Amino acid sequence: MITVEKKGNCTIFNVSGVVTANEILTKAIEYVSGEQTDTALWDFTKATQADLKTIELKGIADSLKKVEHDGKVRKVALVASKTINIGLGKFFVAMAQMSNLPNHYKAFRSMDLAKEWLEDRSTE
């Protein structure tokens, strides 16, 4: 399950339980198609299982590329849980770069490091 909340100028995607590629894609497209904040945080720390294949992660990146963007570059942090391998997040970051998505994506094992990176304006 994915719930979405806004805190200041950050959209937080709280992922819990079992999550599928379709759920992630649906929420990501809703975000990119709607009113976006300057930063976004995908929190997988409460996820117990990600039913994701690498081809599906590539498909998410390819699908997001087809959505019209407003031209502004945003920062998106992905925080892995103990059961969700950070490798999936890093793989998506690589797919996002190869698909030339306009945002900066980065995967983290630590929520504190992710928040620090999102707040750091020198890397924009």
Side-chain angles (χ1 to χ4, degrees), residues 17 36 43 48 52 63 74-75 82 84 93-94 103 116 120:
Q36 297 179 59
D43 179 0
T48 57
L52 302 167
S63 295
R74 294 171 170 82
K75 292 169 86 173
K82 292 184 190 294
I84 304 298
V93 170
N103 295 331
E116 184 178 304
D120 183 3

Side-chain angles (χ1 to χ4, degrees), residues 86-104:
I86 191 167
L88 289 173
K90 289 183 177 186
F91 182 80
F92 178 77
V93 170
M95 291 297 98
Q97 289 173 338
M98 289 174 34
S99 296
N100 292 315
L101 291 181
N103 295 331
H104 295 294

Side-chain angles (χ1 to χ4, degrees), residues 44-50 80-85:
F44 287 88
T45 59
K46 293 180 181 70
T48 57
Q49 181 181 346
S81 73
K82 292 184 190 294
T83 56
I84 304 298
N85 188 326

Side-chain angles (χ1 to χ4, degrees), residues 100-112:
N100 292 315
L101 291 181
N103 295 331
H104 295 294
Y105 294 86
K106 193 166 181 180
F108 296 89
R109 286 187 177 100
S110 160
M111 183 64 71
D112 290 338

Side-chain angles (χ1 to χ4, degrees), residues 1-5 12-16 27:
M1 176 171 68
I2 303 173
T3 60
V4 182
E5 64 179 304
I12 301 169
F13 298 85
N14 296 298
V15 183
S16 61
K27 293 294 183 187

Side-chain angles (χ1 to χ4, degrees), residues 58-71:
K58 183 179 182 326
I60 291 171
D62 290 343
S63 295
L64 288 174
K65 184 176 180 175
K66 296 174 186 174
V67 178
E68 186 174 324
H69 299 277
D70 63 7

